[in-house]
Each structure stands twice: as structure tokens, then as C-alpha cells.
Amino acid sequence: PPNVVALNDALRAQAQSVQATFVDPAADGWFTSGDADLIGPDLLHPSVAGQAVIAERLVEATAATR
């Protein structure tokens, strides 16, 4: 949704301003696999399985910045 894109853009800019790493699951395509089990019934927020994917990938992304 456009409001999510705008919010992520603002968060990315803020992170860059303080030299922090910003990870954007939407822009990075974490949920484009077509696996409906990763998205909750509201079609916006991750399910429990989706939260597990986010956790795994955040560990990978933050480890890569060290």
C-alpha cells in the first residue's frame, strides 16, 4: 500500500541520517514468494510464520553489517 511505502521511505531517510541500518522487507521482496501463509488475514501484517521469516532475515541482514 502507498502509505506503507511512504512510511518506509521516511524511516529509511531517518535511519540514514543517523548512520543506522534500515531493513525494508517489502522493498527487499521478502514476501513475494506467493506463500500466503506468511501474511495474516488482514492481508497487511505478517502471520506467525511471516514473523519467523522476518526474524531470520533480520538476523542475516544485521550480521552482514558488522
Side-chain angles (χ1 to χ4, degrees):
N3 57 338
V4 172
V5 173
L7 176 61
N8 284 349
D9 288 346
L11 291 171
R12 180 181 293 104
Q14 185 62 35
Q16 289 173 342
S17 76
V18 296
Q19 299 177 350
T21 299
F22 177 72
V23 179
D24 185 349
D28 293 341
W30 291 6
F31 296 104
T32 59
S33 67
D35 189 349
D37 292 340
L38 300 180
I39 302 298
D42 67 357
L43 303 179
L44 179 62
H45 295 95
S47 64
V48 172
Q51 291 173 18
V53 168
I54 290 171
E56 290 172 17
R57 294 200 177 167
L58 281 175
V59 168
E60 293 169 3
T62 56
T65 64
R66 294 181 183 173

